[in-house]
Amino acid sequence: MYYYASRNPDLKNLSLDTADHGIPALSLSSRKENVLTALSNAIEKYCQEKGHAYAPDWSSWNPQGFDRDGILCLEEYYPNAISDTYKGVSGYIYQVDIIPGAVKQEKTQDGIRVTGSEPIPVCGCEYIPDAYEAILAAAESGAIRLLRFEDMKENTKKIIASLVKGDYENTEGNPAYRNFLADKFSHVIYR
């Protein structure tokens, strides 16, 4: 069984998108909890809440990785980032068990990446009324790990600050991302 998250209701098939160098592809996780973060894009949500224009082609802000067991490790790069990004966001987790017409199935750390041309049929769906609450429940059960900003080592915070400052200086052509960084990391950018 594989999982995919979307805010779109009633999907009967998952379409492979061509965002990856024009090749139709889709990433699926073997763990339901690992797709919860795909329900919200911090930059998009920030722009909607603040009334800023948002370019949907910008990548999401999901500082995360996986441990050696494939468990999602979600890091909070600024205070309350997890709540800011996921609280109040609803969506759907779709289940897939058959992948027809795949040209290639490549194993990833937490699932597979499918390359092909045919849509993938959905075999089940779970409604997630609040992604933040679902993430907290998954963390409490040990299915994912959260690293809160206040629990980060000072050296890690310094590395994040350096990366953010560099991003801010190098993304003049992306006002949505710059607005997000200026607001969430003003203590780094304006000092």
Side-chain angles (χ1 to χ4, degrees), residues 77-79 149 161 182-191:
Y77 277 20
Y78 59 89
F149 181 79
D183 188 6
K184 302 300 181 182
F185 297 94
S186 60
H187 63 286
V188 170
I189 294 167
Y190 299 118
R191 67 172 183 182

Side-chain angles (χ1 to χ4, degrees), residues 50-72:
K50 298 292 185 179
H52 296 301
Y54 172 73
D57 61 342
W58 184 250
S59 63
S60 64
W61 179 271
N62 291 324
Q64 64 188 35
F66 299 95
D67 69 12
R68 66 176 174 261
D69 297 320
I71 294 175
L72 177 75

Side-chain angles (χ1 to χ4, degrees), residues 98-114:
I98 298 171
I99 302 173
V103 173
K104 181 178 171 185
Q105 292 183 31
E106 178 183 345
K107 284 195 176 276
T108 63
Q109 193 166 7
D110 80 320
I112 59 170
R113 181 159 178 82
V114 178

Side-chain angles (χ1 to χ4, degrees), residues 130-171:
D130 189 303
Y132 178 66
E133 295 299 326
I135 287 170
L136 291 181
E140 190 169 312
S141 74
I144 65 173
R145 293 188 322 179
L146 303 180
L147 177 56
R148 297 292 190 167
F149 181 79
E150 60 269 15
D151 297 329
M152 282 187 176
K153 295 178 182 175
E154 286 305 312
N155 191 49
T156 302
K157 290 179 183 179
K158 286 179 184 176
I159 292 168
I160 292 167
S162 176
L163 293 171
V164 165
K165 195 165 188 170
D167 271 7
Y168 183 81
E169 291 169 357
N170 294 317
T171 56

Side-chain angles (χ1 to χ4, degrees), residues 20 22 25 33 60 75 82 98 101 110 176 179 183:
D20 191 19
E33 296 82 7
S60 64
E75 297 181 357
I82 296 170
I98 298 171
D110 80 320
N179 287 333
D183 188 6

